[in-house]
Amino acid sequence: MGLVMPDFGLFFWMLLSFSILLFVLKRFAWGPILQALSDREKSIEDALKMAENAKEEMLILQSGNEKILKEAILEREKIVKEARDLKYSIIHEARQEAELEANKILEQAKAAIERERAGAVSEIKILIANFSVEIAEKILQDKLADNAKQQELIQNSIDQINLN
Amino acid sequence: MTLLRSLVIVFVTFLASPTFLSANEEHAASDTISRKKFNTGDMIFSHIKDSYEWHITTIGHTHISIPLPVLLYSETSGFHSFSSSNFHHGEEAYQGFHIASEGKYQRKVVETMPDGTEVKPWDFSITKNVTSLFISIILLLVIFLSVAKRYKENFARAPKGIQSWIEPIVVFIVEDIAIPSIGKEKYQRYLPFLLTIFFFIFINNMMGLVPFFPGGANVTGDISVTVVLALFTFAITSYSGTKDYWMHIVNAPGIPLWLKIPIPLMPIVEIISVFIKPFVLTIRLFANMTAGHIVALGFYSLIFIFAEKSIFAGYGISVLSIVFTVFMGLLELLVAFIQAYVFTLLSALYFGLALEKHVHPEEAHK
């Protein structure tokens, strides 16, 4: 029977010391340990969540990049097209202007040529007149070299005047 | 893992070590000389029961033991305190007190009254089990306060040393015992108690397996210790009992009315069960630990029982005894953990039951 009968002394010491143990461990050991464990669990969870978020953000960023790239390509094409259009229009305009200018120059040249020609013609006319006078002079001098002939001519001319 | 394995090996070696063996042998040898015959029951009981001194070994006729303080309060002669060495290993009386060698108060200090009757005084002595209890408590405090300090310094740091041994067990108790048994909302209130009883029982069980000082005392195999632990569980269960819990005991729902009126059969059964729970906790731990010690000691006793017939039979059987004792030691290592686990798990389950709210009592009993 002695084995299964609780002993007062041990019961007393056990009750006392176990209560103290429970109190001390609760106050100074389990509190910090459990707190630390839950803190660690939370921090790990947070870290995982943050990694997940970062991954998502990166995906978003990546798709953004792609969008930007696409836009850039479109923009480039647009710019290139615009430039090409501009080139064509400039060339076209230049050509038109050149044509116009050329025409104008041509007109002016034509007018100048015309003028020159008219000048030349009138000059030639004067020259021919002068030549004719000189020739006539020479012929007259030649014809009036001797007095007889001069008399004849004068006679002829007086004759003619008399007739009138 | 390697550490654990080497610890187990060291442990088993000690269990089967010559120290333990010779201690018994010498003890037994002196017993045979002085008391003529080897008394197995006496030897086993002197090992598993509490005592006023911490017996280490006996060489020849010299007992080597650590004397412990005896604290007594007698209703007739008042308070007494003296060393247990005054009893000279239970052979002499001191200040009117002596250790009863037989009878109702066997192995306990009794006071001899003037009329010759033996009366048991109020005994507050720091016995072997009390000393062992104190040692284990100091050990627990040292371990857990130092571990707590490490956690306080930096919770994010990876566990190291003893901390890495404690942590998985703490997590196991929290996640596999407390939360499933008590529920997510209220388990935190009970964690300090559950963790304390688990480690208290486990450390004491393990210390009980070490066959020399400061181990070897059968603390968790003493009913006074287990009854206190069970009373704590009982007190906490009763304190946290909800209205539903008590109503369930007095008037269990879903049970036919004729079991309650006119004879309140079910209420009686339920009320008995409230008290049976801590009683079973007490007995289970006490019996498991004591039985383990008795079996291990029984195997050793075989050596001396056979040696009484023939010295060679004693040597022969010793091989078998050691093999069996090693096996028992390994088994006890497992039992040390299992009993701590079972006690903690059942306590948690009782707390869980006390907290339960029966929203649909009819469904709960289907």
Side-chain angles (χ1 to χ4, degrees), chain B residues 29-201:
Chain B
S30 69
D31 275 359
T32 9
I33 294 159
S34 55
R35 287 184 214 155
K36 284 168 261 161
K37 210 167 170 350
F38 174 66
N39 187 335
T40 316
D42 220 43
M43 190 280 270
I44 290 175
F45 273 82
S46 77
H47 272 93
I48 61 166
K49 284 234 60 176
D50 208 355
S51 68
Y52 289 94
E53 56 182 18
W54 202 314
H55 185 257
I56 291 170
T57 187
T58 305
I59 298 163
H61 285 287
T62 327
H63 296 283
I64 299 171
S65 58
I66 300 165
L68 299 166
V70 177
L71 307 170
L72 302 167
Y73 180 77
S74 162
E75 275 156 18
T76 50
S77 57
F79 195 76
H80 297 265
S81 66
F82 50 88
S83 165
S84 69
S85 59
N86 289 311
F87 288 131
H88 292 93
H89 313 293
E91 282 154 20
E92 280 174 33
Y94 184 75
Q95 290 182 358
F97 297 100
H98 71 277
I99 298 171
S101 56
E102 55 200 348
K104 199 172 148 196
Y105 303 127
Q106 196 189 3
R107 281 184 249 273
K108 296 271 175 257
V109 167
V110 288
E111 187 176 14
T112 315
M113 289 289 136
D115 57 3
T117 52
E118 287 179 344
V119 175
K120 194 172 179 295
W122 293 97
D123 192 345
F124 295 97
S125 303
I126 308 297
T127 57
K128 182 179 167 185
N129 279 352
V130 177
T131 315
S132 183
L133 178 70
F134 289 167
I135 293 169
S136 71
I137 283 173
I138 290 166
L139 198 66
L140 281 164
L141 288 176
V142 167
I143 291 172
F144 288 102
L145 293 182
S146 66
V147 167
K149 207 177 126 207
R150 256 191 79 83
Y151 275 112
K152 257 192 227 166
E153 280 167 9
N154 183 2
F155 67 83
R157 188 165 46 186
K160 203 176 138 197
I162 195 105
Q163 192 189 5
S164 54
W165 179 79
I166 299 295
E167 193 173 307
I169 302 178
V170 172
V171 172
F172 170 71
I173 291 169
V174 173
E175 282 176 6
D176 291 316
I177 295 180
I179 295 177
S181 312
I182 303 172
K184 268 237 177 278
E185 302 92 39
K186 287 186 172 167
Y187 76 97
Q188 269 163 327
R189 263 176 70 197
Y190 301 95
L191 276 182
F193 176 70
L194 294 175
L195 289 163
T196 309
I197 50 166
F198 180 87
F199 285 105
F200 178 85
I201 295 170

Side-chain angles (χ1 to χ4, degrees), chain A residues 2-14 17-19 22 24 26 28 30 32-33 36-37 40, chain B residues 49 108 122-124 126 130 133 137 144-145 148 151-152 155 157 167 192 196-197 200 222-224 228 232:
Chain A
L3 200 61
V4 291
M5 273 308 291
D7 179 57
F8 174 75
L10 186 55
F11 180 89
F12 168 80
W13 289 115
M14 173 63 190
S17 52
F18 188 77
S19 305
L22 189 59
V24 173
K26 184 179 175 177
F28 299 107
W30 303 129
I33 290 174
L37 284 178
R40 189 195 294 166
Chain B
K49 284 234 60 176
K108 296 271 175 257
W122 293 97
D123 192 345
F124 295 97
I126 308 297
V130 177
L133 178 70
I137 283 173
F144 288 102
L145 293 182
Y151 275 112
K152 257 192 227 166
F155 67 83
R157 188 165 46 186
E167 193 173 307
T196 309
I197 50 166
F200 178 85
D222 197 303
I223 202 157
S224 320
V228 172
F232 267 95

Side-chain angles (χ1 to χ4, degrees), chain B residues 281-299:
Chain B
L281 282 180
T282 309
I283 298 298
R284 180 183 296 107
L285 181 57
F286 150 76
N288 268 287
M289 296 328 291
T290 302
H293 285 239
I294 289 176
V295 172
L297 289 164
F299 281 129

Side-chain angles (χ1 to χ4, degrees), chain B residues 319-333:
Chain B
V319 177
L320 206 66
S321 287
I322 289 168
V323 169
F324 273 124
T325 317
V326 168
F327 172 71
M328 275 309 295
L330 291 171
L331 198 66
E332 283 299 296
L333 279 175

